[in-house]
Amino acid sequence: MNAIEIKDFHKSYGTVDAVRGVSMEVKRGELFGLIGPDGAGKTTLLRAICTLLLPDRGSILVDGLNTTRDAARIRSILGYMPQRFSLYQDLSVEQNLRFFADLFQVPEKERLERLERLYHFSRLGPFKKRFAGALSGGMKQKLALSCALIHTPAILVLDEPTYGVDPVSRQEFWDILRLIRQEGTAILVSTAYMDEADQCERVALFFKGRIAGIGAPEALKNRYRYPLYRLEAEDVRRLRDFFRSLPEVQSTQLFGDALHASFTQPPDSRQWSEWQAASSGNLTSWSPQPPTIEDVFLALIAESEANDSEAQ
Amino acid sequence: MTMNDAKQMTRQISVKTADLTRRFGKFTAVDRVSIEVYQGEIFGFLGANGAGKTTMIRMLCGLLAPSEGSGSVAGYDIYRQSEAIKRRIGYMSQKFSLYDDLTISENIEFYGGVYGLSRALIRERKEALIRQVGLEAFADKLTRELPLGFKQRLALGCALLHDPPIVFLDEPTSGVDPEARRGFWDLIYQTVALGKTVFVTTHFMDEAEYCHRVSIMREGKLIALDTPAKLKQQYGRSNMQDVFVALVKE
């Protein structure tokens, strides 16, 4: 049985279709990323998984239990860290953790051990007595995560836990998630940072309420079918204008002093020499560039939009 | 613009600091930072929370007096000419820039007023900006009704309304969809092609990849300054996130 199973999930708010037919599953013990920009529908899907919203259509099973019928049982096995976590700013770190332990009815005799464990991986131990309101952004997120983990849930759902957190704290946060996963917890985490896809075992690329692509990050990148090159030039803006006008070019993007260009076919050496001559020596070097998840995302969006307009 | 013009232009120094330092009591927020930023450059400012980025930016914007060291912005001294500096910089943040409950036209007029432009100039630049962003049909609509991509373009336009030579962008494209993000970076490249200098502060290492050069601060000190390509090469990492973590955790 999968940890989470979603079939043809739809949800609208008035005339806004937030999620438009999503099917996916999260396996047991998997670290799964929901990657997409703001407004893609990530939060709606996560809230529905946590039984906080009912589907308009389709179904969601959490550990085999249906979210529309078994909400109470699902809540006891699920940890949820919402986007805006309401930590009690005027309670200390330890008081916040104890409050959540009360809420989830964690037996008194188990508490000490769990708190120690959470302090150990979050490294919040030295800050037990500090008010939550006085913690840094990264530490607040770690405390929020610890609160969501107090009842050792089998499944953990996190809504943009690394939003606004600095890169070092972000890295630490992902390291913690991997530790939790090793203990067998399934983790579903959303993020708008494309580069965080590489931290997950599998990802769903979410755009306008739909999944544009799903799979392991490396597998998604391997499926990218436009050979991508990094080009350098004396005048990179002029080079861009030139490459934009070529029929073989699928896309161009300036990156500082360099240009990334993707092609419909891998260019051969004859083409490179022609282009070098045609740009009057402006093109100085070119090398294959591995695609990022963002490149993959853009190509998938373009394809799905082409399919949509064909369907109409 | 020819290649030689471009090279000539990039040599012009737009922002320069030497041993710039700021203390708060016993705490040194910025510790002897020396940078030179060229005209027409996109310069990235990276650092963990509390590394001193904000203090650095506030000094460069003329909002905070340094404790020691020297600096000039657009040719003006940061100690003695902070008012002149304020008139020559623009600022935009992705999270907050425009008032959602004002119309597009009102937002532009508001910024024009804040930057002290004459009514005639505001009218002229407002029309130009609305045309440039392609919002002719929406000038009297509330800003909240605009798609995010348009809002961003408009926000950058407002930050440039008084034609400043230097503009500061704070996480300009975090959370935006990749298509809109790349479109917005095209606009930033167009802005620097006009000879303006763009500072980008960000936590978002993808944004760092778009900068011409990036600086990384740790505990108030400047610990790295180079192009993203050279930094990746030097530290043997394939992306800026890994470079950053390696450097800051060292």
Side-chain angles (χ1 to χ4, degrees), chain A residues 38 170 193 240 256 294-295, chain B residues 175 181-182 186 189 203-204:
Chain A
D38 296 351
R170 264 165 64 191
Y193 298 116
R240 182 191 201 180
E294 187 177 275
D295 294 309
Chain B
R181 179 136 77 100
R182 292 201 165 178
D186 277 348
Y189 285 113
H203 275 158
F204 198 9

Side-chain angles (χ1 to χ4, degrees), chain A residues 11 16 18 63 66 70 78 107 142 160 205 210 253 268 277:
Chain A
K11 184 75 195 177
V16 179
D63 202 26
N66 193 306
D70 301 307
L78 193 112
K142 284 182 198 165
E160 299 203 21
L205 303 178
R210 282 192 188 142
Q253 179 69 36
D268 55 33

Side-chain angles (χ1 to χ4, degrees), chain A residues 83-135:
Chain A
Q83 211 166 9
R84 275 176 210 85
F85 189 79
S86 45
L87 284 173
Y88 293 88
Q89 311 276 334
D90 49 358
L91 291 185
S92 69
V93 166
E94 176 133 347
Q95 284 168 330
N96 266 293
L97 283 166
R98 287 189 175 276
F99 174 79
F100 280 89
D102 287 343
L103 213 58
F104 285 104
Q105 299 170 329
V106 176
E108 193 61 45
K109 55 179 195 288
E110 287 176 26
R111 280 189 192 194
L112 205 60
E113 196 196 316
R114 289 201 193 176
L115 285 182
E116 283 314 312
R117 205 180 123 255
L118 292 170
Y119 283 144
H120 177 72
F121 81 68
S122 67
R123 286 192 258 152
L124 285 172
F127 307 99
K128 276 178 212 190
K129 299 232 153 34
R130 190 178 286 193
F131 284 127
L135 297 174

